[in-house]
């Protein structure tokens, strides 16, 4: 069990007031708050070992390089990657997905098929549309149901020897649906297709085991799991990373350069051109350590309690509908109230100190499916409490009264 008061004391921002009210932060799906240990680690890097990495023989460069590579090892262990060089530092999930999509431009030919799901964030739709436009491949969509789950029977019928890659999120950012990705990966591999998993919304809630999942690629961001913004990881199986061409050219990713020919560095440096976000990469390791110290079992227990409590309380409000009612859900609730625009609800409850997200959440196809302009999304983290949920519910009731 978590000592929630101790946990909350570790996050400085949670003690502040917004609009004269105690902050209730329910926008964790967009970005998580940062514990003091992460904030301190950023400052420590710049105060003590700020230097460029991999290229210097001087002491500070070696210290920074060691810290950066130790972080890579931490992340390798965290996601259970088989090989250290299968872990690539990126600027976030979007960067990782674009890296893979760019690489597949050299693999796909006209008539090949790319499968995406109807539950995807725009970051896992647009790069594949661009890829298909470039190569003549065909984009096919795995349909969803009214409960916000994927239609797995339809998915299996879409798979064929034309399918070259399947790309699907582990958890939906808009609905909280946890997709059956292990089964989906197995089915895709049976027809020879690769699989990329968008893990951006999953890593704050669970530890992905990439070997157990047997995914070919797994992308996620650091800022959603208590780490710095502008950080992320792309895991890729060694065989695939060796097959894909570099995404960017520049320093660090080369072995030898002449004006006649360039040869590329070995993994992982082949995909890590230029000076990276060194502080961010190091501190991402600090964030992973922090999350593991809290414990993902504890995180899941706390968040499941919050999800159950919020669902029950919100459904008691007349005219309120929750979108995303799948059997397997993370701690995300998207809802609307009949006749009221979600933006108006979000604006009013913000005045009461409640931070939620309103809009289409970069998932316009989902909103089009439900024929709505957007939703109010409350996304909970382990540092939130039932008392905060009660405050949100009362605020929503007040907003409804004002807007009706």
């Amino acid at each position: 069990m978590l000592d929630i008061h101790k946990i909350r004391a570790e996050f400085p921002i949670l003690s502040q007031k917004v609009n004269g009210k105690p902050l209730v932060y329910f926008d964790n799906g967009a970005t998580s708050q940062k514990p003091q240990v992460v904030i301190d680690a950023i400052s420590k890097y710049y105060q003590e070992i700020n230097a460029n990495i991999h290229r210097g023989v001087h002491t500070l460069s070696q210290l920074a390089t060691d810290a950066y590579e130790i972080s890579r090892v931490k992340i390798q262990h965290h996601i259970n990657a088989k090989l250290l060089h299968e872990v690539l530092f990126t600027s976030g999930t979007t960067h990782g997905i674009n890296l893979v999509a760019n690489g597949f431009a050299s693999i796909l030919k006209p008539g090949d098929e790319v499968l995406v799901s109807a539950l995807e964030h725009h970051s896992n739709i647009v790069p594949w549309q661009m890829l298909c436009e470039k190569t003549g491949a065909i984009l096919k969509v795995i349909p969803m149901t009214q409960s916000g789950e994927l239609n797995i029977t339809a998915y299996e019928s879409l798979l064929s020897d034309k399918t070259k890659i399947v790309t699907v999120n582990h958890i939906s950012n808009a609905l909280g649906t946890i997709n059956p990705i292990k089964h989906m990966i197995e089915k895709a591999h049976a027809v020879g297709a690769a699989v990329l998993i968008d893990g951006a919304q999953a890593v704050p809630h669970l530890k992905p085991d990439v070997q157990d999942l047997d995914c070919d690629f797994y992308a996620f961001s650091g800022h959603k799991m208590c780490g710095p913004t502008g950080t992320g990881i792309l895991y890729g199986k060694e065989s695939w990373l060796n097959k894909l061409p570099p995404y960017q050219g520049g320093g660090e990713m080369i072995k030898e350069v002449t004006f006649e020919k360039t040869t590329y560095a070995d993994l992982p440096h082949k995909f890590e051109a230029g000076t990276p976000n060194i502080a961010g990469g190091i501190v991402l390791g600090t964030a992973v350590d922090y999350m593991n110290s809290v414990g993902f079992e504890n995180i899941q227990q706390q968040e499941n309690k919050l999800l159950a409590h919020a669902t029950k309380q919100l459904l008691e409000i007349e005219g309120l509908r929750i979108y995303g009612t799948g059997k397997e859900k993370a701690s995300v609730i998207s809802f609307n109230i009949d006749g009221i625009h979600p933006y108006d609800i979000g604006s009013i409850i913000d005045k009461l100190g409640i931070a939620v997200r309103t809009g289409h959440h970069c998932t316009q196809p989902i909103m089009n499916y439900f024929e709505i302009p957007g939703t109010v999304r409350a996304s909970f983290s382990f540092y939130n409490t039932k008392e905060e949920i009660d405050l949100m519910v009362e605020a929503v009731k007040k907003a409804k009264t004002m807007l009706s």
Side-chain angles (χ1 to χ4, degrees):
M1 297 293 292
L2 294 180
D3 181 343
I4 195 66
H5 298 295
K6 178 178 179 294
I7 291 286
R8 287 179 64 81
E10 293 169 347
F11 290 79
I13 202 169
L14 298 181
S15 62
Q16 75 174 4
K17 292 187 175 183
V18 171
N19 295 320
K21 304 287 185 180
L23 170 64
V24 174
Y25 185 79
F26 287 161
D27 195 20
N28 294 286
T31 196
S32 68
Q33 296 303 339
K34 318 307 174 194
Q36 190 66 53
V37 65
V38 165
I39 297 167
D40 289 345
I42 295 171
S43 178
K44 181 180 174 68
Y45 165 77
Y46 285 115
Q47 287 178 346
E48 297 182 8
I49 59 169
N50 178 42
N52 214 325
I53 57 172
H54 297 143
R55 303 168 194 167
V57 297
H58 63 83
T59 300
L60 288 186
S61 179
Q62 291 179 2
L63 289 171
T65 299
D66 289 347
Y68 194 76
E69 292 304 326
I70 286 169
S71 182
R72 196 191 305 269
V73 172
K74 289 177 181 179
I75 293 156
Q76 177 199 7
H77 293 160
H78 181 73
I79 65 174
N80 193 31
K82 184 178 181 181
L83 301 167
L84 181 61
H85 57 252
E86 293 178 325
V87 177
L88 311 181
F89 282 107
T90 67
S91 64
T93 309
T94 300
H95 179 182
I97 293 169
N98 276 273
L99 187 157
V100 177
N102 179 80
F104 265 76
S106 65
I107 295 173
L108 298 187
K109 60 184 185 300
D112 286 343
E113 294 177 357
V114 176
L115 265 59
V116 303
S117 95
L119 292 178
E120 299 311 303
H121 188 282
H122 296 163
S123 294
N124 204 24
I125 298 173
V126 178
W128 306 106
Q129 290 177 325
M130 295 168 69
L131 173 66
C132 289
E133 289 171 2
K134 186 184 297 184
T135 62
I138 300 165
L139 190 73
K140 294 202 167 183
V141 181
I142 307 161
M144 62 182 285
T145 67
Q146 281 290 319
S147 64
E149 297 171 298
L150 291 179
N151 184 329
I152 298 303
T153 302
Y155 164 65
E156 292 173 1
S157 69
L158 284 169
L159 290 168
S160 73
D161 58 4
K162 292 182 179 179
T163 310
K164 301 307 175 187
I165 186 164
V166 175
T167 180
V168 61
N169 56 39
H170 198 160
I171 295 177
S172 164
N173 73 300
L175 306 179
T177 307
I178 303 174
N179 289 314
I181 59 168
K182 189 170 182 179
H183 173 78
M184 296 178 74
I185 292 164
E186 182 182 336
K187 292 295 181 181
H189 285 171
V191 299
V195 182
L196 180 145
I197 302 298
D198 172 354
Q201 295 294 327
V203 292
H205 309 294
L206 54 83
K207 284 180 72 166
D209 184 331
V210 294
Q211 288 192 72
D212 179 61
L213 291 171
D214 196 29
C215 55
D216 301 287
F217 305 97
Y218 195 101
F220 63 92
S221 301
H223 72 96
K224 295 182 193 292
M225 56 179 303
C226 297
T229 54
T231 64
I233 295 295
L234 174 67
Y235 159 80
K237 285 183 179 175
E238 180 186 49
S239 56
W240 272 111
L241 294 178
N242 280 328
K243 193 180 301 184
L244 299 184
Y247 178 46
Q248 294 175 309
E252 189 65 27
M253 52 74 67
I254 56 88
K255 186 172 287 183
E256 186 176 354
V257 174
T258 67
F259 283 112
E260 289 71 37
K261 182 175 176 59
T262 293
T263 54
Y264 303 126
D266 295 331
L267 296 173
H269 306 297
K270 170 183 167 184
F271 293 104
E272 295 183 348
T275 297
N277 180 356
I278 301 168
I282 292 169
V283 179
L284 180 53
T286 305
V288 165
D289 285 343
Y290 177 78
M291 296 288 284
N292 281 309
S293 73
V294 175
F296 280 87
E297 259 189 51
N298 294 329
I299 288 170
Q300 288 168 5
Q301 286 177 4
Q302 172 72 357
E303 292 177 350
N304 287 340
K305 288 177 185 175
L306 296 173
L307 177 64
H309 184 69
T311 302
K312 180 177 182 297
Q313 297 297 317
L314 286 169
L315 286 177
E316 291 176 1
I317 300 174
E318 187 177 352
L320 187 145
R321 176 183 174 182
I322 291 175
Y323 298 88
T325 56
K327 293 176 183 176
E328 298 293 328
K329 269 194 71 171
S331 53
V332 174
I333 299 182
S334 274
F335 66 90
N336 280 334
I337 296 175
D338 289 344
I340 302 176
H341 197 283
Y343 178 84
D344 295 334
I345 296 172
S347 296
I348 289 174
I349 69 174
D350 173 60
K351 302 301 182 188
L352 301 171
I354 317 293
V356 295
R357 176 118 337 206
T358 63
H360 54 65
H361 317 300
C362 291
T363 58
Q364 285 183 307
I366 293 177
M367 302 303 142
N368 292 339
Y369 176 83
F370 287 116
E371 299 181 334
I372 54 177
T375 67
V376 179
R377 184 188 71 184
S379 48
F380 313 122
S381 184
F382 61 91
Y383 45 67
N384 292 128
T385 67
K386 287 184 178 180
E387 290 76 18
E388 289 183 309
I389 287 169
D390 294 340
L391 289 171
M392 178 190 71
V393 172
E394 289 306 309
V396 170
K397 289 177 180 176
K398 287 180 183 177
K400 181 190 173 190
T401 300
M402 293 173 64
L403 295 165
S404 294

